[in-house]
Amino acid sequence: MRHICVVGLNWGDEGKGKIVDVLSSGVDVVVRYQGGANAGHTVYIGDVKKVLHHLPMGILHEGVAAVLGNGMVIEPRGLLEEVATIPESAIERLFLSDRAHVVLPHHTALDRSREEDRNGKKIGTTLRGIGPAYQDKSARRGVRLGDLVRPGFIEDKLPKKLAERCDGLDVTSGVIEESVELCRQVRDRLGAQITDTQVLLADRHAAGERFLFEGAQGCLLDLDFGTYPFVTSSSPSFLGVGPGTGFSPRKIDHVVGVTKVYCTRVGEGPFPSELRGEEEESLRAAGNEYGATTGRPRRVGWLDIPALRHAVLLNDLDSFALTKADVLDGRDTIPVTVGYRLDGREIHHFPTHVDDLSRVEPIVEEWPGWGTIDEHTVRPFADKLEEATGIPVSILSTGKRRDETVLLTPFDGYVGAVR
Ligand code: GDP
Ligand code: IMO
Ligand code: MG
């Protein structure tokens, strides 16, 4: 196994950061291919908590290069703040795609004002300007990181470009000056790291290096295949790797899908297996389900097999990483949604339309629980999951720390040391 991709199978926050961190110890390059500061990926090294938004998790490992791919949208202030938390020596290992787009203050302002205008029909975005930045990209009027290092761009061209873009928008007059200043700061601090990362990956692949692609968000937030319109504006699935990096997904050997042993969602939109009342409160408390980026309480529910099957197909999945298993310790059985009832009919697929998804009633089965989670006690549950989806469990996460991880299948040198 040489190149691996780690994706979220639900609505984000599955524990991707922790799994990527564990697998990163055996790779040469970790690559983010979409999203931006809407992501919040957490790892605990001992008791020290680290949350990253733009930077790939691999940056925390000595000697591992980190690439921010062209499919990302990058918010200068956030990126600079994150960079300030890593050792100076790590900056040499950080590479930013010259084709990645820049999230500017007018994007954040638009994100906020649209959410306020929706009058009860909010998407519940992270308010990081993600949707408006991707919109400018598609409309072919975005600013790319590579522009910032072109002589004269920031001083001469950017103010005019932004004046045209912001004409008629409900944004304060200061956004242009602020944008120019932020772009300058990125150029001065990180200009030397802005490069053609497609070529970098091709060269390193040719040199025999190993890559790990780190998905952000989750498949059910995928712009095309998620619960549209309650989605993000990029393609978090494995299929997003191609357009988001320029590296052929054909070369990737293994796709690991991360899912909790239950399910969560932040923001609006249908969530068929969602819990209410006391069960909701107690699962949220047990799992400490509060957003890593916004601090919002996460909605919680049981594992959803039709949704997982949808994600398995979308990602051409090879194996599951099961996380937060410790949260359900001590239960004799674990409720799992195995199908839905829609208009009196039993269905087993994941409906495309949110109006259908919000009307389905979950069909719940009790699956075997465990006393204290470990590689043996998880077996009956993992076998049921494999039976229902055709996909084996390869990684089991039994706690938030790096060392609370069990590999059920060998990752062929990937995990040099699960510390
Ligand atoms: P990501 O966005 O997919 O990287 O996930 P987040 O970092 O947003 O949220 C996952 C949360 O669960 C973080 O607070 C992790 O520290 C925590 N976590 C990850 N795996 C486990 C686990 O196996 N057990 C417990 N108790 N917590 C975990
Ligand atoms: P990680 O990588 C959970 C959700 C938002 C909202 C929708 C659109 O940590 O798993 P956006 O700001 O992207 O336009 O918001 O997507 N969302 C996430 N939910 N985890 C994330 O990232 C998310 N990134 C976006 O809550 O519902
Ligand atoms: Mg998160």
mmCIF file with all atom_site columns, all heavy atoms in Angstrom, residues 104-128:
data_model
loop_
_atom_site.group_PDB
_atom_site.id
_atom_site.type_symbol
_atom_site.label_atom_id
_atom_site.label_alt_id
_atom_site.label_comp_id
_atom_site.label_asym_id
_atom_site.label_entity_id
_atom_site.label_seq_id
_atom_site.pdbx_PDB_ins_code
_atom_site.Cartn_x
_atom_site.Cartn_y
_atom_site.Cartn_z
_atom_site.occupancy
_atom_site.B_iso_or_equiv
_atom_site.pdbx_formal_charge
_atom_site.auth_seq_id
_atom_site.auth_comp_id
_atom_site.auth_asym_id
_atom_site.auth_atom_id
_atom_site.pdbx_PDB_model_num
ATOM 1   N N   . LEU A 1 104 ? -11.500 35.959 1.031  1.00 0.00 ? 104 LEU A N   1
ATOM 2   C CA  . LEU A 1 104 ? -11.263 37.353 1.420  1.00 0.00 ? 104 LEU A CA  1
ATOM 3   C C   . LEU A 1 104 ? -12.414 37.875 2.284  1.00 0.00 ? 104 LEU A C   1
ATOM 4   O O   . LEU A 1 104 ? -13.465 37.226 2.376  1.00 0.00 ? 104 LEU A O   1
ATOM 5   C CB  . LEU A 1 104 ? -11.068 38.191 0.157  1.00 0.00 ? 104 LEU A CB  1
ATOM 6   C CG  . LEU A 1 104 ? -9.753  37.840 -0.577 1.00 0.00 ? 104 LEU A CG  1
ATOM 7   C CD1 . LEU A 1 104 ? -9.702  38.467 -1.954 1.00 0.00 ? 104 LEU A CD1 1
ATOM 8   C CD2 . LEU A 1 104 ? -8.534  38.245 0.261  1.00 0.00 ? 104 LEU A CD2 1
ATOM 9   N N   . PRO A 1 105 ? -12.214 39.029 2.923  1.00 0.00 ? 105 PRO A N   1
ATOM 10  C CA  . PRO A 1 105 ? -13.247 39.523 3.840  1.00 0.00 ? 105 PRO A CA  1
ATOM 11  C C   . PRO A 1 105 ? -14.640 39.661 3.216  1.00 0.00 ? 105 PRO A C   1
ATOM 12  O O   . PRO A 1 105 ? -15.643 39.446 3.889  1.00 0.00 ? 105 PRO A O   1
ATOM 13  C CB  . PRO A 1 105 ? -12.692 40.882 4.283  1.00 0.00 ? 105 PRO A CB  1
ATOM 14  C CG  . PRO A 1 105 ? -11.201 40.719 4.193  1.00 0.00 ? 105 PRO A CG  1
ATOM 15  C CD  . PRO A 1 105 ? -10.965 39.834 3.008  1.00 0.00 ? 105 PRO A CD  1
ATOM 16  N N   . HIS A 1 106 ? -14.711 39.978 1.910  1.00 0.00 ? 106 HIS A N   1
ATOM 17  C CA  . HIS A 1 106 ? -16.072 40.094 1.344  1.00 0.00 ? 106 HIS A CA  1
ATOM 18  C C   . HIS A 1 106 ? -16.768 38.734 1.300  1.00 0.00 ? 106 HIS A C   1
ATOM 19  O O   . HIS A 1 106 ? -17.993 38.658 1.397  1.00 0.00 ? 106 HIS A O   1
ATOM 20  C CB  . HIS A 1 106 ? -16.058 40.775 -0.037 1.00 0.00 ? 106 HIS A CB  1
ATOM 21  C CG  . HIS A 1 106 ? -15.470 39.975 -1.157 1.00 0.00 ? 106 HIS A CG  1
ATOM 22  N ND1 . HIS A 1 106 ? -14.123 39.952 -1.439 1.00 0.00 ? 106 HIS A ND1 1
ATOM 23  C CD2 . HIS A 1 106 ? -16.050 39.159 -2.077 1.00 0.00 ? 106 HIS A CD2 1
ATOM 24  C CE1 . HIS A 1 106 ? -13.908 39.178 -2.498 1.00 0.00 ? 106 HIS A CE1 1
ATOM 25  N NE2 . HIS A 1 106 ? -15.052 38.677 -2.892 1.00 0.00 ? 106 HIS A NE2 1
ATOM 26  N N   . HIS A 1 107 ? -16.002 37.639 1.200  1.00 0.00 ? 107 HIS A N   1
ATOM 27  C CA  . HIS A 1 107 ? -16.614 36.304 1.221  1.00 0.00 ? 107 HIS A CA  1
ATOM 28  C C   . HIS A 1 107 ? -17.222 36.008 2.594  1.00 0.00 ? 107 HIS A C   1
ATOM 29  O O   . HIS A 1 107 ? -18.332 35.493 2.694  1.00 0.00 ? 107 HIS A O   1
ATOM 30  C CB  . HIS A 1 107 ? -15.568 35.228 0.900  1.00 0.00 ? 107 HIS A CB  1
ATOM 31  C CG  . HIS A 1 107 ? -15.000 35.322 -0.482 1.00 0.00 ? 107 HIS A CG  1
ATOM 32  N ND1 . HIS A 1 107 ? -13.651 35.323 -0.741 1.00 0.00 ? 107 HIS A ND1 1
ATOM 33  C CD2 . HIS A 1 107 ? -15.619 35.437 -1.681 1.00 0.00 ? 107 HIS A CD2 1
ATOM 34  C CE1 . HIS A 1 107 ? -13.453 35.416 -2.042 1.00 0.00 ? 107 HIS A CE1 1
ATOM 35  N NE2 . HIS A 1 107 ? -14.630 35.496 -2.634 1.00 0.00 ? 107 HIS A NE2 1
ATOM 36  N N   . THR A 1 108 ? -16.465 36.347 3.613  1.00 0.00 ? 108 THR A N   1
ATOM 37  C CA  . THR A 1 108 ? -16.948 36.077 4.973  1.00 0.00 ? 108 THR A CA  1
ATOM 38  C C   . THR A 1 108 ? -18.186 36.935 5.259  1.00 0.00 ? 108 THR A C   1
ATOM 39  O O   . THR A 1 108 ? -19.164 36.463 5.843  1.00 0.00 ? 108 THR A O   1
ATOM 40  C CB  . THR A 1 108 ? -15.820 36.390 5.981  1.00 0.00 ? 108 THR A CB  1
ATOM 41  O OG1 . THR A 1 108 ? -14.585 35.985 5.400  1.00 0.00 ? 108 THR A OG1 1
ATOM 42  C CG2 . THR A 1 108 ? -16.021 35.664 7.284  1.00 0.00 ? 108 THR A CG2 1
ATOM 43  N N   . ALA A 1 109 ? -18.137 38.200 4.795  1.00 0.00 ? 109 ALA A N   1
ATOM 44  C CA  . ALA A 1 109 ? -19.284 39.098 5.013  1.00 0.00 ? 109 ALA A CA  1
ATOM 45  C C   . ALA A 1 109 ? -20.513 38.566 4.281  1.00 0.00 ? 109 ALA A C   1
ATOM 46  O O   . ALA A 1 109 ? -21.628 38.560 4.825  1.00 0.00 ? 109 ALA A O   1
ATOM 47  C CB  . ALA A 1 109 ? -18.927 40.507 4.535  1.00 0.00 ? 109 ALA A CB  1
ATOM 48  N N   . LEU A 1 110 ? -20.299 38.075 3.046  1.00 0.00 ? 110 LEU A N   1
ATOM 49  C CA  . LEU A 1 110 ? -21.436 37.543 2.276  1.00 0.00 ? 110 LEU A CA  1
ATOM 50  C C   . LEU A 1 110 ? -22.008 36.284 2.922  1.00 0.00 ? 110 LEU A C   1
ATOM 51  O O   . LEU A 1 110 ? -23.226 36.104 2.973  1.00 0.00 ? 110 LEU A O   1
ATOM 52  C CB  . LEU A 1 110 ? -20.978 37.184 0.861  1.00 0.00 ? 110 LEU A CB  1
ATOM 53  C CG  . LEU A 1 110 ? -20.860 38.324 -0.136 1.00 0.00 ? 110 LEU A CG  1
ATOM 54  C CD1 . LEU A 1 110 ? -20.253 37.823 -1.452 1.00 0.00 ? 110 LEU A CD1 1
ATOM 55  C CD2 . LEU A 1 110 ? -22.227 38.929 -0.409 1.00 0.00 ? 110 LEU A CD2 1
ATOM 56  N N   . ASP A 1 111 ? -21.137 35.418 3.407  1.00 0.00 ? 111 ASP A N   1
ATOM 57  C CA  . ASP A 1 111 ? -21.573 34.183 4.059  1.00 0.00 ? 111 ASP A CA  1
ATOM 58  C C   . ASP A 1 111 ? -22.504 34.544 5.226  1.00 0.00 ? 111 ASP A C   1
ATOM 59  O O   . ASP A 1 111 ? -23.613 34.014 5.368  1.00 0.00 ? 111 ASP A O   1
ATOM 60  C CB  . ASP A 1 111 ? -20.332 33.424 4.567  1.00 0.00 ? 111 ASP A CB  1
ATOM 61  C CG  . ASP A 1 111 ? -20.593 31.948 4.845  1.00 0.00 ? 111 ASP A CG  1
ATOM 62  O OD1 . ASP A 1 111 ? -21.738 31.502 4.679  1.00 0.00 ? 111 ASP A OD1 1
ATOM 63  O OD2 . ASP A 1 111 ? -19.635 31.243 5.244  1.00 0.00 ? 111 ASP A OD2 1
ATOM 64  N N   . ARG A 1 112 ? -22.048 35.497 6.024  1.00 0.00 ? 112 ARG A N   1
ATOM 65  C CA  . ARG A 1 112 ? -22.809 35.910 7.198  1.00 0.00 ? 112 ARG A CA  1
ATOM 66  C C   . ARG A 1 112 ? -24.145 36.544 6.789  1.00 0.00 ? 112 ARG A C   1
ATOM 67  O O   . ARG A 1 112 ? -25.200 36.170 7.291  1.00 0.00 ? 112 ARG A O   1
ATOM 68  C CB  . ARG A 1 112 ? -21.970 36.900 8.019  1.00 0.00 ? 112 ARG A CB  1
ATOM 69  C CG  . ARG A 1 112 ? -22.544 37.259 9.367  1.00 0.00 ? 112 ARG A CG  1
ATOM 70  C CD  . ARG A 1 112 ? -21.526 38.054 10.184 1.00 0.00 ? 112 ARG A CD  1
ATOM 71  N NE  . ARG A 1 112 ? -20.386 37.235 10.586 1.00 0.00 ? 112 ARG A NE  1
ATOM 72  C CZ  . ARG A 1 112 ? -20.389 36.401 11.625 1.00 0.00 ? 112 ARG A CZ  1
ATOM 73  N NH1 . ARG A 1 112 ? -21.476 36.274 12.372 1.00 0.00 ? 112 ARG A NH1 1
ATOM 74  N NH2 . ARG A 1 112 ? -19.323 35.692 11.927 1.00 0.00 ? 112 ARG A NH2 1
ATOM 75  N N   . SER A 1 113 ? -24.108 37.471 5.826  1.00 0.00 ? 113 SER A N   1
ATOM 76  C CA  . SER A 1 113 ? -25.354 38.171 5.510  1.00 0.00 ? 113 SER A CA  1
ATOM 77  C C   . SER A 1 113 ? -26.357 37.227 4.838  1.00 0.00 ? 113 SER A C   1
ATOM 78  O O   . SER A 1 113 ? -27.549 37.313 5.086  1.00 0.00 ? 113 SER A O   1
ATOM 79  C CB  . SER A 1 113 ? -25.100 39.425 4.673  1.00 0.00 ? 113 SER A CB  1
ATOM 80  O OG  . SER A 1 113 ? -24.561 39.060 3.441  1.00 0.00 ? 113 SER A OG  1
ATOM 81  N N   . ARG A 1 114 ? -25.865 36.281 4.045  1.00 0.00 ? 114 ARG A N   1
ATOM 82  C CA  . ARG A 1 114 ? -26.808 35.319 3.433  1.00 0.00 ? 114 ARG A CA  1
ATOM 83  C C   . ARG A 1 114 ? -27.457 34.440 4.481  1.00 0.00 ? 114 ARG A C   1
ATOM 84  O O   . ARG A 1 114 ? -28.642 34.138 4.396  1.00 0.00 ? 114 ARG A O   1
ATOM 85  C CB  . ARG A 1 114 ? -26.080 34.431 2.427  1.00 0.00 ? 114 ARG A CB  1
ATOM 86  C CG  . ARG A 1 114 ? -25.814 35.177 1.162  1.00 0.00 ? 114 ARG A CG  1
ATOM 87  C CD  . ARG A 1 114 ? -25.149 34.261 0.177  1.00 0.00 ? 114 ARG A CD  1
ATOM 88  N NE  . ARG A 1 114 ? -24.626 35.049 -0.906 1.00 0.00 ? 114 ARG A NE  1
ATOM 89  C CZ  . ARG A 1 114 ? -23.689 34.644 -1.743 1.00 0.00 ? 114 ARG A CZ  1
ATOM 90  N NH1 . ARG A 1 114 ? -23.170 33.451 -1.604 1.00 0.00 ? 114 ARG A NH1 1
ATOM 91  N NH2 . ARG A 1 114 ? -23.272 35.414 -2.704 1.00 0.00 ? 114 ARG A NH2 1
ATOM 92  N N   . GLU A 1 115 ? -26.674 34.022 5.452  1.00 0.00 ? 115 GLU A N   1
ATOM 93  C CA  . GLU A 1 115 ? -27.250 33.186 6.513  1.00 0.00 ? 115 GLU A CA  1
ATOM 94  C C   . GLU A 1 115 ? -28.297 33.965 7.302  1.00 0.00 ? 115 GLU A C   1
ATOM 95  O O   . GLU A 1 115 ? -29.328 33.420 7.675  1.00 0.00 ? 115 GLU A O   1
ATOM 96  C CB  . GLU A 1 115 ? -26.155 32.670 7.450  1.00 0.00 ? 115 GLU A CB  1
ATOM 97  C CG  . GLU A 1 115 ? -25.316 31.533 6.868  1.00 0.00 ? 115 GLU A CG  1
ATOM 98  C CD  . GLU A 1 115 ? -26.070 30.217 6.763  1.00 0.00 ? 115 GLU A CD  1
ATOM 99  O OE1 . GLU A 1 115 ? -26.172 29.487 7.758  1.00 0.00 ? 115 GLU A OE1 1
ATOM 100 O OE2 . GLU A 1 115 ? -26.558 29.923 5.658  1.00 0.00 ? 115 GLU A OE2 1
ATOM 101 N N   . GLU A 1 116 ? -28.032 35.269 7.502  1.00 0.00 ? 116 GLU A N   1
ATOM 102 C CA  . GLU A 1 116 ? -29.004 36.083 8.245  1.00 0.00 ? 116 GLU A CA  1
ATOM 103 C C   . GLU A 1 116 ? -30.266 36.315 7.422  1.00 0.00 ? 116 GLU A C   1
ATOM 104 O O   . GLU A 1 116 ? -31.372 36.372 7.946  1.00 0.00 ? 116 GLU A O   1
ATOM 105 C CB  . GLU A 1 116 ? -28.372 37.422 8.639  1.00 0.00 ? 116 GLU A CB  1
ATOM 106 C CG  . GLU A 1 116 ? -27.445 37.266 9.842  1.00 0.00 ? 116 GLU A CG  1
ATOM 107 C CD  . GLU A 1 116 ? -26.482 38.432 10.020 1.00 0.00 ? 116 GLU A CD  1
ATOM 108 O OE1 . GLU A 1 116 ? -26.578 39.414 9.256  1.00 0.00 ? 116 GLU A OE1 1
ATOM 109 O OE2 . GLU A 1 116 ? -25.611 38.332 10.924 1.00 0.00 ? 116 GLU A OE2 1
ATOM 110 N N   . ASP A 1 117 ? -30.095 36.429 6.086  1.00 0.00 ? 117 ASP A N   1
ATOM 111 C CA  . ASP A 1 117 ? -31.235 36.716 5.202  1.00 0.00 ? 117 ASP A CA  1
ATOM 112 C C   . ASP A 1 117 ? -32.157 35.542 4.971  1.00 0.00 ? 117 ASP A C   1
ATOM 113 O O   . ASP A 1 117 ? -33.227 35.689 4.421  1.00 0.00 ? 117 ASP A O   1
ATOM 114 C CB  . ASP A 1 117 ? -30.733 37.115 3.798  1.00 0.00 ? 117 ASP A CB  1
ATOM 115 C CG  . ASP A 1 117 ? -30.211 38.523 3.795  1.00 0.00 ? 117 ASP A CG  1
ATOM 116 O OD1 . ASP A 1 117 ? -30.385 39.198 4.815  1.00 0.00 ? 117 ASP A OD1 1
ATOM 117 O OD2 . ASP A 1 117 ? -29.619 38.921 2.779  1.00 0.00 ? 117 ASP A OD2 1
ATOM 118 N N   . ARG A 1 118 ? -31.684 34.361 5.292  1.00 0.00 ? 118 ARG A N   1
ATOM 119 C CA  . ARG A 1 118 ? -32.450 33.195 4.872  1.00 0.00 ? 118 ARG A CA  1
ATOM 120 C C   . ARG A 1 118 ? -33.744 32.976 5.664  1.00 0.00 ? 118 ARG A C   1
ATOM 121 O O   . ARG A 1 118 ? -34.535 32.117 5.315  1.00 0.00 ? 118 ARG A O   1
ATOM 122 C CB  . ARG A 1 118 ? -31.591 31.931 4.949  1.00 0.00 ? 118 ARG A CB  1
ATOM 123 C CG  . ARG A 1 118 ? -30.626 31.821 3.809  1.00 0.00 ? 118 ARG A CG  1
ATOM 124 C CD  . ARG A 1 118 ? -29.861 30.531 3.940  1.00 0.00 ? 118 ARG A CD  1
ATOM 125 N NE  . ARG A 1 118 ? -28.563 30.571 3.305  1.00 0.00 ? 118 ARG A NE  1
ATOM 126 C CZ  . ARG A 1 118 ? -28.352 30.208 2.043  1.00 0.00 ? 118 ARG A CZ  1
ATOM 127 N NH1 . ARG A 1 118 ? -29.335 29.765 1.319  1.00 0.00 ? 118 ARG A NH1 1
ATOM 128 N NH2 . ARG A 1 118 ? -27.140 30.289 1.537  1.00 0.00 ? 118 ARG A NH2 1
ATOM 129 N N   . ASN A 1 119 ? -33.911 33.737 6.740  1.00 0.00 ? 119 ASN A N   1
ATOM 130 C CA  . ASN A 1 119 ? -35.163 33.689 7.496  1.00 0.00 ? 119 ASN A CA  1
ATOM 131 C C   . ASN A 1 119 ? -35.665 32.288 7.795  1.00 0.00 ? 119 ASN A C   1
ATOM 132 O O   . ASN A 1 119 ? -36.650 31.832 7.230  1.00 0.00 ? 119 ASN A O   1
ATOM 133 C CB  . ASN A 1 119 ? -36.273 34.434 6.729  1.00 0.00 ? 119 ASN A CB  1
ATOM 134 C CG  . ASN A 1 119 ? -36.098 35.916 6.845  1.00 0.00 ? 119 ASN A CG  1
ATOM 135 O OD1 . ASN A 1 119 ? -35.577 36.391 7.854  1.00 0.00 ? 119 ASN A OD1 1
ATOM 136 N ND2 . ASN A 1 119 ? -36.495 36.648 5.809  1.00 0.00 ? 119 ASN A ND2 1
ATOM 137 N N   . GLY A 1 120 ? -34.956 31.637 8.681  1.00 0.00 ? 120 GLY A N   1
ATOM 138 C CA  . GLY A 1 120 ? -35.417 30.300 9.076  1.00 0.00 ? 120 GLY A CA  1
ATOM 139 C C   . GLY A 1 120 ? -35.003 29.219 8.095  1.00 0.00 ? 120 GLY A C   1
ATOM 140 O O   . GLY A 1 120 ? -35.236 28.043 8.307  1.00 0.00 ? 120 GLY A O   1
ATOM 141 N N   . LYS A 1 121 ? -34.381 29.584 6.967  1.00 0.00 ? 121 LYS A N   1
ATOM 142 C CA  . LYS A 1 121 ? -33.957 28.557 5.998  1.00 0.00 ? 121 LYS A CA  1
ATOM 143 C C   . LYS A 1 121 ? -32.440 28.510 5.923  1.00 0.00 ? 121 LYS A C   1
ATOM 144 O O   . LYS A 1 121 ? -31.863 28.293 4.867  1.00 0.00 ? 121 LYS A O   1
ATOM 145 C CB  . LYS A 1 121 ? -34.540 28.862 4.625  1.00 0.00 ? 121 LYS A CB  1
ATOM 146 C CG  . LYS A 1 121 ? -36.023 28.714 4.586  1.00 0.00 ? 121 LYS A CG  1
ATOM 147 C CD  . LYS A 1 121 ? -36.469 28.302 3.200  1.00 0.00 ? 121 LYS A CD  1
ATOM 148 C CE  . LYS A 1 121 ? -37.937 27.947 3.208  1.00 0.00 ? 121 LYS A CE  1
ATOM 149 N NZ  . LYS A 1 121 ? -38.626 28.345 1.999  1.00 0.00 ? 121 LYS A NZ  1
ATOM 150 N N   . LYS A 1 122 ? -31.824 28.760 7.044  1.00 0.00 ? 122 LYS A N   1
ATOM 151 C CA  . LYS A 1 122 ? -30.363 28.782 7.096  1.00 0.00 ? 122 LYS A CA  1
ATOM 152 C C   . LYS A 1 122 ? -29.767 27.433 6.700  1.00 0.00 ? 122 LYS A C   1
ATOM 153 O O   . LYS A 1 122 ? -30.363 26.397 6.936  1.00 0.00 ? 122 LYS A O   1
ATOM 154 C CB  . LYS A 1 122 ? -29.911 29.067 8.532  1.00 0.00 ? 122 LYS A CB  1
ATOM 155 C CG  . LYS A 1 122 ? -30.178 30.475 8.956  1.00 0.00 ? 122 LYS A CG  1
ATOM 156 C CD  . LYS A 1 122 ? -29.308 30.896 10.091 1.00 0.00 ? 122 LYS A CD  1
ATOM 157 C CE  . LYS A 1 122 ? -29.343 29.971 11.297 1.00 0.00 ? 122 LYS A CE  1
ATOM 158 N NZ  . LYS A 1 122 ? -28.670 30.568 12.447 1.00 0.00 ? 122 LYS A NZ  1
ATOM 159 N N   . ILE A 1 123 ? -28.543 27.482 6.171  1.00 0.00 ? 123 ILE A N   1
ATOM 160 C CA  . ILE A 1 123 ? -27.784 26.247 5.944  1.00 0.00 ? 123 ILE A CA  1
ATOM 161 C C   . ILE A 1 123 ? -27.077 25.871 7.252  1.00 0.00 ? 123 ILE A C   1
ATOM 162 O O   . ILE A 1 123 ? -26.826 24.717 7.535  1.00 0.00 ? 123 ILE A O   1
ATOM 163 C CB  . ILE A 1 123 ? -26.708 26.466 4.843  1.00 0.00 ? 123 ILE A CB  1
ATOM 164 C CG1 . ILE A 1 123 ? -27.341 26.938 3.533  1.00 0.00 ? 123 ILE A CG1 1
ATOM 165 C CG2 . ILE A 1 123 ? -25.852 25.221 4.628  1.00 0.00 ? 123 ILE A CG2 1
ATOM 166 C CD1 . ILE A 1 123 ? -28.158 25.924 2.793  1.00 0.00 ? 123 ILE A CD1 1
ATOM 167 N N   . GLY A 1 124 ? -26.809 26.924 8.057  1.00 0.00 ? 124 GLY A N   1
ATOM 168 C CA  . GLY A 1 124 ? -26.036 26.669 9.275  1.00 0.00 ? 124 GLY A CA  1
ATOM 169 C C   . GLY A 1 124 ? -24.567 26.531 8.946  1.00 0.00 ? 124 GLY A C   1
ATOM 170 O O   . GLY A 1 124 ? -23.884 25.636 9.458  1.00 0.00 ? 124 GLY A O   1
ATOM 171 N N   . THR A 1 125 ? -24.044 27.398 8.063  1.00 0.00 ? 125 THR A N   1
ATOM 172 C CA  . THR A 1 125 ? -22.639 27.285 7.653  1.00 0.00 ? 125 THR A CA  1
ATOM 173 C C   . THR A 1 125 ? -21.723 27.637 8.822  1.00 0.00 ? 125 THR A C   1
ATOM 174 O O   . THR A 1 125 ? -22.163 28.144 9.857  1.00 0.00 ? 125 THR A O   1
ATOM 175 C CB  . THR A 1 125 ? -22.289 28.239 6.478  1.00 0.00 ? 125 THR A CB  1
ATOM 176 O OG1 . THR A 1 125 ? -22.186 29.574 6.980  1.00 0.00 ? 125 THR A OG1 1
ATOM 177 C CG2 . THR A 1 125 ? -23.313 28.186 5.358  1.00 0.00 ? 125 THR A CG2 1
ATOM 178 N N   . THR A 1 126 ? -20.434 27.423 8.607  1.00 0.00 ? 126 THR A N   1
ATOM 179 C CA  . THR A 1 126 ? -19.449 27.748 9.640  1.00 0.00 ? 126 THR A CA  1
ATOM 180 C C   . THR A 1 126 ? -19.101 29.249 9.607  1.00 0.00 ? 126 THR A C   1
ATOM 181 O O   . THR A 1 126 ? -18.276 29.696 10.386 1.00 0.00 ? 126 THR A O   1
ATOM 182 C CB  . THR A 1 126 ? -18.158 26.941 9.426  1.00 0.00 ? 126 THR A CB  1
ATOM 183 O OG1 . THR A 1 126 ? -17.656 27.235 8.111  1.00 0.00 ? 126 THR A OG1 1
ATOM 184 C CG2 . THR A 1 126 ? -18.407 25.443 9.534  1.00 0.00 ? 126 THR A CG2 1
ATOM 185 N N   . LEU A 1 127 ? -19.682 29.985 8.660  1.00 0.00 ? 127 LEU A N   1
ATOM 186 C CA  . LEU A 1 127 ? -19.473 31.439 8.508  1.00 0.00 ? 127 LEU A CA  1
ATOM 187 C C   . LEU A 1 127 ? -18.016 31.778 8.185  1.00 0.00 ? 127 LEU A C   1
ATOM 188 O O   . LEU A 1 127 ? -17.541 32.860 8.505  1.00 0.00 ? 127 LEU A O   1
ATOM 189 C CB  . LEU A 1 127 ? -19.931 32.205 9.758  1.00 0.00 ? 127 LEU A CB  1
ATOM 190 C CG  . LEU A 1 127 ? -21.398 32.010 10.162 1.00 0.00 ? 127 LEU A CG  1
ATOM 191 C CD1 . LEU A 1 127 ? -21.704 32.760 11.453 1.00 0.00 ? 127 LEU A CD1 1
ATOM 192 C CD2 . LEU A 1 127 ? -22.344 32.476 9.050  1.00 0.00 ? 127 LEU A CD2 1
ATOM 193 N N   . ARG A 1 128 ? -17.332 30.843 7.532  1.00 0.00 ? 128 ARG A N   1
ATOM 194 C CA  . ARG A 1 128 ? -15.924 31.079 7.183  1.00 0.00 ? 128 ARG A CA  1
ATOM 195 C C   . ARG A 1 128 ? -15.749 31.577 5.739  1.00 0.00 ? 128 ARG A C   1
ATOM 196 O O   . ARG A 1 128 ? -14.637 31.604 5.223  1.00 0.00 ? 128 ARG A O   1
ATOM 197 C CB  . ARG A 1 128 ? -15.097 29.795 7.380  1.00 0.00 ? 128 ARG A CB  1
ATOM 198 C CG  . ARG A 1 128 ? -15.042 29.308 8.822  1.00 0.00 ? 128 ARG A CG  1
ATOM 199 C CD  . ARG A 1 128 ? -14.347 30.345 9.694  1.00 0.00 ? 128 ARG A CD  1
ATOM 200 N NE  . ARG A 1 128 ? -14.039 29.852 11.025 1.00 0.00 ? 128 ARG A NE  1
ATOM 201 C CZ  . ARG A 1 128 ? -14.844 29.905 12.078 1.00 0.00 ? 128 ARG A CZ  1
ATOM 202 N NH1 . ARG A 1 128 ? -16.055 30.425 11.961 1.00 0.00 ? 128 ARG A NH1 1
ATOM 203 N NH2 . ARG A 1 128 ? -14.457 29.453 13.258 1.00 0.00 ? 128 ARG A NH2 1
#
